[in-house]
Amino acid sequence: GNEYNTYEVTDVNVEDNTIKLGWTIDNNVTRYSGAVAFQLTFELSTTYKWSTVPTTFNIRAGLNMNSVIAPSETAVVSALFNKVNNLETLINNLSDKFDSDNNSVKELQTAIERIDSELSDLQGRVVYTLPDTD
């Protein structure tokens, strides 16, 4: 894919006159089949740097290669980002509406409780009289 990256050595094993080095590569290295070139560079200080000659290894073709979104396909990523933002806005608006409706319900409940209390108070003060019956 004509991409370049740097990886730090994560595993060092020294035995006799041999140094074995290991490092972890990310999936960008294996995204495309073909030759991958690499070289090792040793930096012991800012003034001393030593590198090997470049060498290659081959990445074989894999399955589902079309399912990878390349960084250059920003239109797809941008469209997905916009959809997520639109969903977030919709959720926030619905949340605000729910809060507003919820406040209206609370105000109605308070009004009903106040009326109920006033009716109870009236019941305690009012004297009922029955009409005279013959």
Side-chain angles (χ1 to χ4, degrees), residues 11-49:
D11 186 26
V12 178
N13 187 4
V14 180
E15 291 182 16
D16 299 324
N17 292 332
T18 304
I19 301 174
K20 292 183 180 180
L21 304 171
W23 60 93
T24 303
I25 58 174
D26 60 30
N27 63 352
N28 291 335
V29 176
T30 60
R31 182 182 318 166
Y32 306 104
S33 61
V36 173
F38 72 97
Q39 82 181 55
L40 298 176
T41 302
F42 298 90
E43 295 181 18
L44 300 177
S45 67
T46 56
T47 57
Y48 182 77
K49 182 176 178 180

Side-chain angles (χ1 to χ4, degrees), residues 115-130:
I115 290 171
D116 187 48
S117 174
E118 290 174 4
L119 284 174
S120 294
D121 187 52
L122 282 174
Q123 281 178 335
R125 293 180 188 209
V126 173
V127 175
Y128 292 96
T129 58
L130 295 173

